[in-house]
Amino acid sequence: MKRVTYLIILILFPFIAQSQIAKDFIRKGMVQDSIKDFRGAILYYTLAIEKDPNYIEAFLNRGNSKAELGDHEGAITDFTKAIDLDHDYPGAYFNRGNSERAVKNYMGAIVDYTKTIELDPNYVGAYYFRGIVKGYLNDYKGSIIDFDKVIELDPSYGLAYFFRGFSKSFNKEFLSAISDYSKAIEIGPSNADAYLERGVLKYTLMDYRGALSDLNTAIALDPKNGRAYYNRGIVKIKLAQIESGCLDFSRAGELGISEAYEAIKSYCQN
């Protein structure tokens, strides 16, 4: 019996050694990731894969490093390999969905986020990004449903309120959208975009003073936000603050908002 055990050990030893070397490469790759040397990390993960071609973590980590470098096609290939090795790993589908979203394969991203949720119904990020992608595809009702779930799972998720408000505004649920923007501001008081979007909706509802206050705050938080200047200019024109409104249009134009020059022609050259 001892001789048989000894033979088994001799047979298995090379595989155990290879596996240990692969783990060492993984650890070294993770160190490189931690200092944002993603190219160095990829080299180590590749070495790990050479030692153990079925090492799921190596494919996942290499995919993440490739994604950090903007090589999303390469990342998708690695995440797909990880999925081939384990069809029930929600993180692999989620990461692949993120890279699919980055290359604007939105339907592919939705499929991956949906699979993530199927495997882990409490995976907050999958609902969040699926909601984002549905918004890209103009499925605002579907987007709202996903953000509802994010908020149910994590009521402190400020950006979920912000993007739910965004989808509601496109769905013409203006008062509810304003409520969501207000909640986003409560959670993240420095969210300039939330003030901007709330100000735009207040203008739509003819609350011009409220709109002006929000747009003032948006600009104070983000002085290079051209859309905020443009919309504040529109509000000021409505409030008969013509000269100040025209200055805002001029600043918006300098910041790349081309329609500001049309506004100048319409309101500022009399």
Side-chain angles (χ1 to χ4, degrees):
M1 178 64 72
K2 289 183 179 179
R3 179 176 177 79
V4 172
T5 303
Y6 180 69
L7 288 172
I8 291 172
I9 291 171
L10 284 177
I11 292 168
L12 292 179
F13 181 77
F15 298 102
I16 296 170
Q18 292 286 84
S19 177
Q20 185 57 51
I21 292 170
K23 288 180 181 178
D24 289 340
F25 283 134
I26 282 284
R27 283 193 286 270
K28 290 177 180 179
M30 292 173 70
V31 170
Q32 298 310 114
D33 271 333
S34 71
I35 61 173
K36 300 189 183 303
D37 177 14
F38 301 117
R39 295 186 189 281
I42 288 169
L43 289 175
Y44 281 120
Y45 296 139
T46 300
L47 289 170
I49 290 165
E50 288 174 359
K51 294 297 180 183
D52 183 352
N54 295 319
Y55 202 158
I56 293 173
E57 187 179 0
F59 285 104
L60 284 171
N61 288 4
R62 190 173 70 174
N64 288 332
S65 295
K66 287 179 179 178
E68 289 284 356
L69 292 172
D71 178 14
H72 291 287
E73 296 289 358
I76 289 167
T77 298
D78 278 345
F79 296 139
T80 300
K81 180 61 178 179
I83 289 166
D84 289 341
L85 291 168
D86 182 353
H87 296 295
D88 296 324
Y89 198 129
Y93 291 98
F94 177 72
N95 290 350
R96 189 172 70 176
N98 287 339
S99 283
E100 295 283 13
R101 175 171 52 85
V103 298
K104 300 186 178 180
N105 178 12
Y106 297 136
M107 293 308 299
I110 285 177
V111 169
D112 277 341
Y113 293 139
T114 301
K115 183 63 176 179
T116 306
I117 291 164
E118 178 186 317
L119 293 168
D120 182 355
N122 294 321
Y123 206 121
V124 175
Y127 290 104
Y128 175 78
F129 284 112
R130 190 173 70 174
I132 295 287
V133 173
K134 286 179 179 178
Y136 292 159
L137 296 173
N138 301 325
D139 176 13
Y140 300 117
K141 289 183 179 179
S143 177
I144 290 165
I145 289 169
D146 276 341
F147 292 129
D148 285 345
K149 187 64 178 179
V150 174
I151 291 164
E152 175 190 326
L153 292 169
D154 183 0
S156 67
Y157 206 134
L159 284 177
Y161 291 98
F162 173 77
F163 283 109
R164 187 174 70 174
F166 205 70
S167 289
K168 285 179 178 178
S169 67
F170 278 101
N171 212 37
K172 300 189 184 304
E173 301 174 38
F174 298 135
L175 289 175
S176 185
I178 285 175
S179 178
D180 274 347
Y181 290 137
S182 296
K183 185 64 177 180
I185 289 166
E186 178 187 325
I187 294 170
S190 62
N191 187 338
D193 287 333
Y195 284 101
L196 167 58
E197 299 301 338
R198 191 174 69 174
V200 169
L201 288 186
K202 286 180 178 179
Y203 172 82
T204 300
L205 297 174
M206 295 186 289
D207 175 10
Y208 303 128
R209 294 290 177 186
L212 182 60
S213 176
D214 275 347
L215 293 166
N216 284 340
T217 303
I219 289 167
L221 290 169
D222 182 4
K224 294 186 178 180
N225 192 322
R227 282 191 64 236
Y229 284 100
Y230 174 76
N231 282 286
R232 190 174 71 172
I234 293 291
V235 172
K236 286 179 177 178
I237 295 298
K238 204 71 177 178
L239 292 170
Q241 300 175 16
I242 308 300
E243 183 176 353
S244 183
C246 290
L247 288 174
D248 277 347
F249 290 144
S250 179
R251 181 62 178 146
E254 291 171 2
L255 291 169
I257 308 300
S258 58
E259 56 263 42
Y261 295 111
E262 293 301 317
I264 290 171
K265 291 178 185 177
S266 297
Y267 300 109
C268 306
Q269 294 185 344
N270 295 329

Short mmCIF file of all heavy atoms in Angstrom, two decimals, residues 152-183:
data_model
loop_
_atom_site.label_atom_id
_atom_site.label_comp_id
_atom_site.label_asym_id
_atom_site.label_seq_id
_atom_site.Cartn_x
_atom_site.Cartn_y
_atom_site.Cartn_z
N GLU A 152 -33.98 49.21 -3.80
CA GLU A 152 -34.52 48.24 -2.84
C GLU A 152 -33.39 47.51 -2.12
O GLU A 152 -33.43 47.31 -0.90
CB GLU A 152 -35.42 47.24 -3.56
CG GLU A 152 -35.94 46.12 -2.67
CD GLU A 152 -36.62 45.02 -3.48
OE1 GLU A 152 -37.25 45.32 -4.52
OE2 GLU A 152 -36.49 43.83 -3.09
N LEU A 153 -32.37 47.13 -2.88
CA LEU A 153 -31.24 46.38 -2.31
C LEU A 153 -30.27 47.28 -1.55
O LEU A 153 -29.64 46.85 -0.59
CB LEU A 153 -30.49 45.63 -3.42
CG LEU A 153 -31.25 44.48 -4.09
CD1 LEU A 153 -30.52 44.01 -5.34
CD2 LEU A 153 -31.43 43.32 -3.11
N ASP A 154 -30.14 48.53 -2.00
CA ASP A 154 -29.20 49.46 -1.38
C ASP A 154 -29.78 50.87 -1.43
O ASP A 154 -29.52 51.62 -2.38
CB ASP A 154 -27.84 49.41 -2.09
CG ASP A 154 -26.81 50.31 -1.44
OD1 ASP A 154 -27.14 50.97 -0.43
OD2 ASP A 154 -25.67 50.37 -1.92
N PRO A 155 -30.56 51.26 -0.41
CA PRO A 155 -31.21 52.58 -0.42
C PRO A 155 -30.24 53.76 -0.39
O PRO A 155 -30.67 54.90 -0.61
CB PRO A 155 -32.07 52.54 0.86
CG PRO A 155 -32.23 51.10 1.18
CD PRO A 155 -30.96 50.44 0.74
N SER A 156 -28.97 53.51 -0.13
CA SER A 156 -27.99 54.61 -0.07
C SER A 156 -27.26 54.80 -1.39
O SER A 156 -26.32 55.60 -1.47
CB SER A 156 -26.97 54.33 1.04
OG SER A 156 -26.17 53.20 0.72
N TYR A 157 -27.68 54.12 -2.44
CA TYR A 157 -27.00 54.16 -3.74
C TYR A 157 -27.45 55.43 -4.48
O TYR A 157 -28.40 55.42 -5.25
CB TYR A 157 -27.36 52.91 -4.54
CG TYR A 157 -26.35 52.48 -5.58
CD1 TYR A 157 -25.97 51.15 -5.69
CD2 TYR A 157 -25.80 53.39 -6.49
CE1 TYR A 157 -25.05 50.72 -6.65
CE2 TYR A 157 -24.90 52.98 -7.44
CZ TYR A 157 -24.52 51.65 -7.52
OH TYR A 157 -23.62 51.24 -8.47
N GLY A 158 -26.72 56.53 -4.25
CA GLY A 158 -27.14 57.83 -4.77
C GLY A 158 -27.28 57.90 -6.28
O GLY A 158 -28.22 58.50 -6.81
N LEU A 159 -26.34 57.28 -7.01
CA LEU A 159 -26.39 57.36 -8.47
C LEU A 159 -27.59 56.61 -9.04
O LEU A 159 -28.06 56.93 -10.13
CB LEU A 159 -25.10 56.80 -9.07
CG LEU A 159 -23.89 57.71 -8.97
CD1 LEU A 159 -22.65 57.02 -9.53
CD2 LEU A 159 -24.13 59.03 -9.70
N ALA A 160 -28.11 55.63 -8.29
CA ALA A 160 -29.31 54.93 -8.76
C ALA A 160 -30.50 55.90 -8.77
O ALA A 160 -31.32 55.87 -9.69
CB ALA A 160 -29.61 53.72 -7.88
N TYR A 161 -30.60 56.76 -7.75
CA TYR A 161 -31.66 57.77 -7.74
C TYR A 161 -31.46 58.75 -8.90
O TYR A 161 -32.42 59.13 -9.57
CB TYR A 161 -31.65 58.54 -6.42
CG TYR A 161 -32.09 57.73 -5.23
CD1 TYR A 161 -31.16 57.15 -4.37
CD2 TYR A 161 -33.44 57.56 -4.94
CE1 TYR A 161 -31.55 56.41 -3.27
CE2 TYR A 161 -33.85 56.83 -3.83
CZ TYR A 161 -32.89 56.25 -3.00
OH TYR A 161 -33.29 55.52 -1.92
N PHE A 162 -30.20 59.14 -9.11
CA PHE A 162 -29.93 60.10 -10.18
C PHE A 162 -30.35 59.54 -11.53
O PHE A 162 -31.08 60.20 -12.29
CB PHE A 162 -28.44 60.46 -10.21
CG PHE A 162 -28.06 61.30 -11.38
CD1 PHE A 162 -28.34 62.65 -11.41
CD2 PHE A 162 -27.42 60.74 -12.48
CE1 PHE A 162 -28.01 63.45 -12.51
CE2 PHE A 162 -27.09 61.52 -13.58
CZ PHE A 162 -27.38 62.87 -13.60
N PHE A 163 -29.92 58.33 -11.85
CA PHE A 163 -30.24 57.78 -13.17
C PHE A 163 -31.70 57.36 -13.28
O PHE A 163 -32.27 57.39 -14.37
CB PHE A 163 -29.29 56.63 -13.52
CG PHE A 163 -27.93 57.10 -13.93
CD1 PHE A 163 -26.83 56.91 -13.11
CD2 PHE A 163 -27.75 57.76 -15.14
CE1 PHE A 163 -25.57 57.37 -13.49
CE2 PHE A 163 -26.50 58.22 -15.53
CZ PHE A 163 -25.41 58.02 -14.70
N ARG A 164 -32.31 56.99 -12.15
CA ARG A 164 -33.75 56.73 -12.21
C ARG A 164 -34.49 58.03 -12.52
O ARG A 164 -35.44 58.05 -13.31
CB ARG A 164 -34.25 56.11 -10.90
CG ARG A 164 -35.71 55.66 -11.00
CD ARG A 164 -36.18 54.91 -9.75
NE ARG A 164 -36.31 55.78 -8.60
CZ ARG A 164 -36.81 55.39 -7.43
NH1 ARG A 164 -37.19 54.12 -7.25
NH2 ARG A 164 -36.90 56.24 -6.42
N GLY A 165 -34.02 59.11 -11.91
CA GLY A 165 -34.61 60.41 -12.22
C GLY A 165 -34.44 60.76 -13.69
O GLY A 165 -35.35 61.29 -14.34
N PHE A 166 -33.27 60.45 -14.23
CA PHE A 166 -33.00 60.72 -15.64
C PHE A 166 -33.98 59.96 -16.53
O PHE A 166 -34.56 60.50 -17.46
CB PHE A 166 -31.56 60.31 -15.95
CG PHE A 166 -30.94 61.03 -17.11
CD1 PHE A 166 -30.61 62.36 -17.03
CD2 PHE A 166 -30.69 60.35 -18.30
CE1 PHE A 166 -30.04 63.03 -18.10
CE2 PHE A 166 -30.13 61.00 -19.38
CZ PHE A 166 -29.80 62.35 -19.28
N SER A 167 -34.17 58.67 -16.22
CA SER A 167 -35.11 57.86 -17.02
C SER A 167 -36.54 58.35 -16.84
O SER A 167 -37.32 58.38 -17.79
CB SER A 167 -35.00 56.38 -16.62
OG SER A 167 -33.78 55.84 -17.08
N LYS A 168 -36.89 58.74 -15.62
CA LYS A 168 -38.24 59.26 -15.39
C LYS A 168 -38.48 60.55 -16.16
O LYS A 168 -39.59 60.80 -16.65
CB LYS A 168 -38.46 59.49 -13.89
CG LYS A 168 -38.68 58.21 -13.11
CD LYS A 168 -38.87 58.50 -11.62
CE LYS A 168 -39.13 57.23 -10.82
NZ LYS A 168 -39.27 57.51 -9.37
N SER A 169 -37.46 61.37 -16.27
CA SER A 169 -37.64 62.63 -17.00
C SER A 169 -37.92 62.36 -18.47
O SER A 169 -38.77 63.01 -19.09
CB SER A 169 -36.41 63.53 -16.84
OG SER A 169 -35.27 62.98 -17.49
N PHE A 170 -37.23 61.36 -19.06
CA PHE A 170 -37.51 60.99 -20.44
C PHE A 170 -38.89 60.34 -20.56
O PHE A 170 -39.52 60.39 -21.62
CB PHE A 170 -36.44 60.03 -20.97
CG PHE A 170 -35.21 60.73 -21.45
CD1 PHE A 170 -34.07 60.78 -20.67
CD2 PHE A 170 -35.19 61.34 -22.69
CE1 PHE A 170 -32.92 61.44 -21.13
CE2 PHE A 170 -34.05 62.00 -23.16
CZ PHE A 170 -32.92 62.04 -22.36
N ASN A 171 -39.36 59.74 -19.48
CA ASN A 171 -40.68 59.12 -19.46
C ASN A 171 -41.76 60.12 -19.07
O ASN A 171 -42.90 59.73 -18.83
CB ASN A 171 -40.68 57.94 -18.47
CG ASN A 171 -41.60 56.83 -18.89
OD1 ASN A 171 -41.72 56.53 -20.08
ND2 ASN A 171 -42.26 56.20 -17.93
N LYS A 172 -41.36 61.40 -18.95
CA LYS A 172 -42.25 62.52 -18.63
C LYS A 172 -42.87 62.40 -17.24
O LYS A 172 -43.95 62.94 -16.98
CB LYS A 172 -43.32 62.71 -19.70
CG LYS A 172 -42.74 62.98 -21.09
CD LYS A 172 -43.79 63.38 -22.10
CE LYS A 172 -43.20 63.56 -23.49
NZ LYS A 172 -42.09 64.55 -23.51
N GLU A 173 -42.18 61.74 -16.33
CA GLU A 173 -42.61 61.69 -14.93
C GLU A 173 -41.82 62.76 -14.17
O GLU A 173 -40.96 62.47 -13.35
CB GLU A 173 -42.35 60.30 -14.34
CG GLU A 173 -43.07 59.17 -15.08
CD GLU A 173 -42.67 57.80 -14.57
OE1 GLU A 173 -42.47 57.65 -13.33
OE2 GLU A 173 -42.53 56.87 -15.38
N PHE A 174 -42.13 64.03 -14.46
CA PHE A 174 -41.26 65.12 -14.05
C PHE A 174 -41.19 65.30 -12.53
O PHE A 174 -40.11 65.47 -11.97
CB PHE A 174 -41.69 66.42 -14.72
CG PHE A 174 -41.60 66.39 -16.22
CD1 PHE A 174 -42.64 66.89 -17.00
CD2 PHE A 174 -40.50 65.85 -16.85
CE1 PHE A 174 -42.56 66.85 -18.39
CE2 PHE A 174 -40.41 65.81 -18.23
CZ PHE A 174 -41.46 66.30 -19.01
N LEU A 175 -42.33 65.28 -11.86
CA LEU A 175 -42.32 65.49 -10.41
C LEU A 175 -41.59 64.36 -9.69
O LEU A 175 -40.82 64.59 -8.75
CB LEU A 175 -43.75 65.63 -9.89
CG LEU A 175 -44.46 66.93 -10.28
CD1 LEU A 175 -45.92 66.89 -9.81
CD2 LEU A 175 -43.76 68.15 -9.67
N SER A 176 -41.82 63.14 -10.15
CA SER A 176 -41.14 62.00 -9.55
C SER A 176 -39.63 62.07 -9.83
O SER A 176 -38.81 61.72 -8.97
CB SER A 176 -41.72 60.70 -10.09
OG SER A 176 -41.16 59.58 -9.44
N ALA A 177 -39.27 62.53 -11.02
CA ALA A 177 -37.85 62.68 -11.36
C ALA A 177 -37.19 63.72 -10.45
O ALA A 177 -36.07 63.51 -9.96
CB ALA A 177 -37.70 63.07 -12.82
N ILE A 178 -37.88 64.83 -10.22
CA ILE A 178 -37.34 65.85 -9.32
C ILE A 178 -37.11 65.27 -7.93
O ILE A 178 -36.09 65.54 -7.28
CB ILE A 178 -38.29 67.07 -9.27
CG1 ILE A 178 -38.17 67.89 -10.56
CG2 ILE A 178 -37.99 67.95 -8.05
CD1 ILE A 178 -39.15 69.04 -10.67
N SER A 179 -38.04 64.45 -7.47
CA SER A 179 -37.88 63.80 -6.17
C SER A 179 -36.64 62.92 -6.14
O SER A 179 -35.89 62.92 -5.15
CB SER A 179 -39.13 62.97 -5.85
OG SER A 179 -38.99 62.30 -4.63
N ASP A 180 -36.40 62.20 -7.23
CA ASP A 180 -35.20 61.35 -7.29
C ASP A 180 -33.92 62.18 -7.31
O ASP A 180 -32.94 61.83 -6.65
CB ASP A 180 -35.26 60.45 -8.52
CG ASP A 180 -36.03 59.16 -8.27
OD1 ASP A 180 -36.31 58.86 -7.10
OD2 ASP A 180 -36.35 58.46 -9.24
N TYR A 181 -33.92 63.27 -8.07
CA TYR A 181 -32.74 64.13 -8.09
C TYR A 181 -32.49 64.71 -6.69
O TYR A 181 -31.33 64.83 -6.25
CB TYR A 181 -32.89 65.25 -9.10
CG TYR A 181 -32.84 64.80 -10.54
CD1 TYR A 181 -33.73 65.31 -11.49
CD2 TYR A 181 -31.91 63.86 -10.97
CE1 TYR A 181 -33.68 64.89 -12.82
CE2 TYR A 181 -31.86 63.43 -12.29
CZ TYR A 181 -32.75 63.96 -13.21
OH TYR A 181 -32.71 63.55 -14.52
N SER A 182 -33.56 65.06 -6.00
CA SER A 182 -33.41 65.60 -4.64
C SER A 182 -32.80 64.56 -3.70
O SER A 182 -31.95 64.89 -2.86
CB SER A 182 -34.77 66.05 -4.11
OG SER A 182 -35.28 67.12 -4.88
N LYS A 183 -33.22 63.30 -3.86
CA LYS A 183 -32.66 62.23 -3.03
C LYS A 183 -31.18 62.01 -3.38
O LYS A 183 -30.35 61.81 -2.49
CB LYS A 183 -33.45 60.94 -3.24
CG LYS A 183 -33.01 59.80 -2.32
CD LYS A 183 -33.25 60.12 -0.85
CE LYS A 183 -32.89 58.94 0.03
NZ LYS A 183 -33.11 59.24 1.47
#
